[in-house]
Amino acid sequence: MRGLIAGSDAGWRRLAEWGAALGTAESAGRANQAELAFPGDSEMATRMRAHAWADTPLGDPAQWPTSLAAACRICLTSSFPMVVWWGEDLYFLYNDAYLPFLGAKHPVLAKPGNLVWDEIWDIIGPALRSVLDSGSATWSQDVMLPLNRNGYTEETYWTYSFSPLYDEAGVVRGAHTEATDTTERVIGARRLAVLNELGALAGRARSVTEACDLITLALGRAGHDVPFAAAFLRQWEPAGLLLSVVSPAGTDPDALRRGAADWPVDEAMRTGRPVRVTDVRERFGDLPAGAWASPPANAMVLPLTGETRGPAIGAVVLAASAGRALDESYESFLTLVAQQIASAINSAVAYQIQQRRAEELAELDRAKTVFFANISHEFRTPLTLIMGPLAELRARLGDHDPAARSDLDLIERNGLRLGKLVNTLLDFSSIEAGRMETRAEPLDLAAVTADLASIFRSAIERAGLTFEVECAPLPAPVYLDREMWEKVMLNLLGNALKFTFDGSIGVRVRSAAGQAVVEVADTGCGVPAGELPRLFERFRRIASARSRSNEGSGIGLALVRELVTLNGGTITAASEEGSGAIFTIRLPLGRDRVQAAGGGGSTQAPDPYVAEALGWLPGNPSAPGHPLRPADRDPARPRGSGPRAGTDRRRQRGYARLPAPAARARVRGQHRRRRERGPDRRPLRSAGSHRRGRDDARAWWLRAGRRPAR
């Protein structure tokens, strides 16, 4: 018996040893199975190997379907954020790369999906169910998911896909998810758009008020990132801060009813640094929430710097969205917003300063124009009273006293030059005041231009220059103001003669591209390249230019451009220093512009232009002792006829003073005596508003049997 018992004890010991060995082998087998099911040394692999799977609906991993085990191994060994959903309740399995997405929710291993993401289950739940029901994968890009993973509801954006997982029977039992957090990219692009819109405001506003209105509109469209904004600008009279911008527009929260007193605006302006406010709700209540459900809890007060880092012009309160943490990136964005706001306001201030300066300059220019108009009329009246008696004195003197005749010629020549300058100034004053109008009529431009060129032929040839005129007939008439065209051509020809010492002067008329093209060219000293862009500016003279005379007002070419423009044309200049210049005028052919009614500029005959040009030539016949003979004048314009015989009555009525009663009586007596002598003598030049007009002079020449000048 004792042997049997002893044998039994040994058997039991051997059985116990076999059981222990078997248990060890089974444990090792289970460990090996766990290593195979959950490979790697990551946090989630370690958690899964230690997890009590038997206590979960998923059961022992050794009994898992092959597809689930394979999906779990792929998930754990991937560096890309992945999730495996399994079963009817979509139990949640994930890897280490997915941990940042969970935040404070971790760990939630093997929990139902609707408990893990309860705040967004209404968004992702139906998509997952559709995968289980249909077996079709889904794709979602940049979807906004309001996650509550860090103690507050957070605005996040995701790109993800749901793919079906099948068991051995081919039934969809779960889903596999790959997810990417695109929050920074989406929000960064949105904030960049806000900054671009604010940056585009610089230079658009014409006043500070307009700038503030534009800023309010732009911030109103940026409610996702700036749910509330208020800008306080410094004002000097009365001194203080003025609430100038409130976004959203029309809001009146309690935080603004006491002005800037409760916000650290003074601190931000004094230090020039942003001030962070973290107790917005406690101090100011619920501010506008923008595009988020919860009102802002944080805000920043930032200074608005002046131009060139000058003193702050104010400060702006910018609230942060409750859906995003006010981190370094958010603070940088709000700082840039404040800088763009300051830039828009500073640009408006600079524009206002520039506008005031321009208005002051324009006022000075208007005053100068009025002065020129007034002084021109003051000159014109006594000049008329001088030229009339001068003509009478010349007629009485005849050829009895050559020395006195030479002095009278000198007086006449300078009187004509002064009259030309006075009329030019009057034309400029009319253009500046907008009173200059054209009396367009169809003209044979080639013939008219050739006639005007012939007036200068004698002076040009006497200067030893070749004069080339090539005026080909045009296919259609050109609608122009004849008097204005005369001034244009006479100015250009006078300038050509003044600055040309050898070579030639040419006038050419042709048609090109449906336009009449008139060119006045010379081989004179030319224009320096640096002066060419400013050639048509008023009172602009080239000091170093070689010319026949240093006299000049610097307004001839400026007047030419204005007159050409009034007639619907353009003028350009091309020149090389030392090689002459070419002035090209282009005018529309036919009646393709509106014919303006009303009076033109001051009337003026060619005599002053030709007389001045002849005065530049050595040994000229109009020098002292050599009167300007009728042969040297345009045969169609005898002395005393043409536009110069009459005064612009409308201007005289508006500006010029009437002569004294004795002077008026004298003029009337002169006219009476002249009428008694008959029509074979030249009419005297009259003065003031009693001078004969252009039509009267033409009628006189018709009665005398001669062809009047146009």
Side-chain angles (χ1 to χ4, degrees), residues 392-415:
E392 182 182 6
L393 184 58
R394 283 170 57 97
R396 289 205 308 263
L397 183 62
D399 298 327
H400 297 299
D401 190 345
R405 180 71 179 223
S406 176
D407 292 339
L408 293 177
D409 290 339
L410 179 64
I411 295 172
E412 182 187 33
R413 187 169 63 253
N414 285 279

Side-chain angles (χ1 to χ4, degrees), residues 260-269 273 275-277 283-284 300-302 315 317:
D262 289 343
W263 294 100
V265 171
D266 291 336
E267 179 183 354
M269 294 177 61
R273 298 178 180 177
V275 180
R276 184 166 178 166
V277 182
R283 293 176 58 182
F284 306 109
M300 291 187 68
V301 181
L302 303 106
V317 177

Side-chain angles (χ1 to χ4, degrees), residues 89-101:
D89 291 332
L90 296 171
Y91 291 100
F92 196 73
L93 308 176
Y94 54 98
N95 62 3
D96 281 19
Y98 197 82
L99 294 180
F101 300 167

Side-chain angles (χ1 to χ4, degrees), residues 499 524-535 540-546 573-581:
F499 294 101
C525 62
V527 180
E531 294 288 344
L532 200 58
R534 307 183 63 185
L535 192 60
R540 183 72 180 178
R541 299 187 62 192
I542 303 174
S544 60
R546 181 183 177 216
S575 177
E576 292 184 6
E577 191 171 5
S579 301

Side-chain angles (χ1 to χ4, degrees), residues 53-367:
W53 293 106
D55 299 333
T56 68
L58 294 177
D60 188 356
Q63 306 300 320
W64 286 2
T66 304
S67 58
L68 174 59
C72 189
R73 285 194 294 269
I74 293 173
C75 176
L76 289 175
T77 57
S78 175
S79 298
F80 199 83
M82 290 186 179
V83 175
V84 175
W85 316 77
W86 190 263
E88 282 298 317
D89 291 332
L90 296 171
Y91 291 100
F92 196 73
L93 308 176
Y94 54 98
N95 62 3
D96 281 19
Y98 197 82
L99 294 180
F101 300 167
L102 288 170
K105 290 178 177 288
H106 174 70
V108 286
L109 182 62
K111 290 187 177 181
N114 62 337
L115 298 181
V116 176
W117 292 120
D118 58 318
E119 67 270 28
I120 59 171
W121 196 249
D122 59 330
I123 301 174
I124 65 174
L128 283 167
R129 287 297 171 189
S130 70
V131 173
L132 296 179
D133 296 339
S134 65
S136 299
T138 65
W139 168 264
S140 301
Q141 185 174 8
D142 296 335
V143 177
M144 201 281 285
L145 299 177
L147 303 183
N148 188 356
R149 56 184 178 176
N150 293 310
Y152 67 96
T153 303
E154 181 181 358
E155 178 188 8
T156 63
Y157 292 86
W158 300 82
T159 295
Y160 53 87
S161 67
F162 295 142
S163 303
L165 290 176
Y166 297 87
D167 61 9
E168 285 78 358
V171 178
V172 178
R173 296 286 304 281
H176 171 261
T177 297
E178 294 180 351
T180 302
D181 187 354
T182 60
T183 303
E184 294 299 326
R185 180 179 61 81
V186 173
I187 292 182
R190 188 178 67 202
R191 291 175 178 175
L192 182 60
V194 172
L195 294 175
N196 287 337
E197 184 176 2
L198 288 172
L201 300 182
R204 285 181 53 189
R206 298 296 181 259
S207 65
V208 174
T209 301
E210 183 181 357
C212 291
D213 292 340
L214 293 175
I215 292 169
T216 299
L217 292 176
L219 292 178
R221 292 187 286 269
H224 287 86
D225 300 294
V226 187
F228 169 76
F232 300 90
L233 299 183
R234 189 194 303 272
Q235 63 177 4
W236 305 104
E237 294 181 2
L241 293 172
L242 178 65
L243 178 62
S244 303
V245 174
V246 177
S247 176
T251 59
D252 185 24
D254 294 337
L256 298 179
R257 291 174 184 160
R258 290 168 291 183
D262 289 343
W263 294 100
V265 171
D266 291 336
E267 179 183 354
M269 294 177 61
R270 184 180 66 256
T271 62
R273 298 178 180 177
V275 180
R276 184 166 178 166
V277 182
T278 58
D279 55 350
V280 171
R281 293 177 185 171
E282 293 77 6
R283 293 176 58 182
F284 306 109
D286 291 346
L287 295 179
W292 205 244
S294 303
N298 300 288
M300 291 187 68
V301 181
L302 303 106
L304 299 176
T305 56
E307 284 287 347
T308 64
R309 297 188 179 275
I313 59 174
V316 61
V317 177
L318 299 176
S321 172
R324 298 296 300 169
L326 186 55
D327 52 14
E328 183 178 356
S329 175
Y330 209 155
E331 289 183 356
S332 298
F333 165 70
L334 295 180
T335 300
L336 292 175
V337 169
Q339 291 176 0
Q340 298 288 39
I341 292 174
S343 177
I345 295 174
N346 286 327
S347 296
V349 172
Y351 180 86
Q352 285 184 307
I353 295 174
Q354 187 81 13
Q355 187 70 14
R356 283 197 296 268
R357 187 177 303 158
E359 291 173 356
E360 292 172 357
L361 292 176
E363 184 61 32
L364 288 175
D365 193 60
R366 284 192 294 269

